[in-house]
């Protein structure tokens, strides 16, 4: 897995990237009460705002970590946003992305670097 400074994780599954937020991010947000996901088929560019997540503490935008096309979304977390708090790095992934340019992956952190980053 790779991690961004915006507390997102990326996991490669075949020819797509699965994207979600880290346990650290979910903990900082507090109880998640609303998630708005992109549409399947949307073409996104790195740093586009693609997900809106609201908690009892704040609202946040999740930025696209890579360029590509949304090929699947996890509608279960729209129906039950609390899953983001329960399993942020597992079942509560946000979307799957068919990547058009994977080169920015080289700039992202591995798990050890991310753990050092959040200190």
């Amino acid at each position: 897995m790779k991690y961004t400074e915006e507390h997102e994780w990326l996991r490669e599954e075949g020819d797509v990237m699965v994207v979600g937020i880290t346990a650290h991010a979910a903990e900082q947000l507090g109880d998640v009460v609303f998630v708005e996901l992109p549409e399947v088929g949307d073409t996104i560019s790195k740093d586009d705002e693609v997900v809106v997540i609201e908690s009892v503490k704040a609202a946040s935008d999740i930025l696209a970590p890579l360029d590509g096309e949304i090929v699947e979304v996890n509608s279960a977390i729209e129906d039950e946003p609390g899953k983001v708090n329960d399993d942020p790095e597992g079942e509560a992934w946000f979307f799957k992305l068919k990547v058009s340019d994977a080169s920015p992956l080289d700039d992202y952190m591995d798990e050890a670097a991310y753990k050092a980053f959040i200190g």
Side-chain angles (χ1 to χ4, degrees), residues 8 15-16 20 33 41 63 67 76-77 90-91 103 105 112:
E8 298 165 345
D15 64 345
V16 299
V33 295
L63 305 180
D67 297 346
I77 62 171
E91 293 298 313
S103 62
L105 272 177

Side-chain angles (χ1 to χ4, degrees), residues 103-115:
S103 62
L105 272 177
D106 297 336
D107 299 332
Y108 294 143
M109 297 173 270
D110 62 15
E111 187 175 5
Y114 180 72
K115 285 183 176 179

Side-chain angles (χ1 to χ4, degrees), residues 37-43 69-75 95-96:
L37 297 171
E39 297 289 325
V40 171
D42 284 357
T43 300
E69 179 184 348
I70 303 291
V71 294
E72 188 177 341
V73 296
N74 187 356
S75 56
F95 57 89
K96 294 185 180 181

Side-chain angles (χ1 to χ4, degrees), residues 12-73:
E12 195 169 355
E13 283 186 2
D15 64 345
V16 299
M17 283 289 174
V18 183
V19 180
I21 62 170
T22 65
H24 176 77
E27 184 180 305
Q28 295 299 309
L29 280 169
D31 293 335
V32 175
V33 295
F34 175 79
V35 178
E36 181 182 324
L37 297 171
E39 297 289 325
V40 171
D42 284 357
T43 300
I44 60 173
S45 297
K46 185 179 182 311
D47 297 329
D48 283 355
E49 296 173 357
V50 290
V51 174
V52 175
I53 186 168
E54 294 179 10
S55 71
V56 294
K57 291 182 181 179
S60 299
D61 292 316
I62 305 301
L63 305 180
L66 300 166
D67 297 346
E69 179 184 348
I70 303 291
V71 294
E72 188 177 341
V73 296

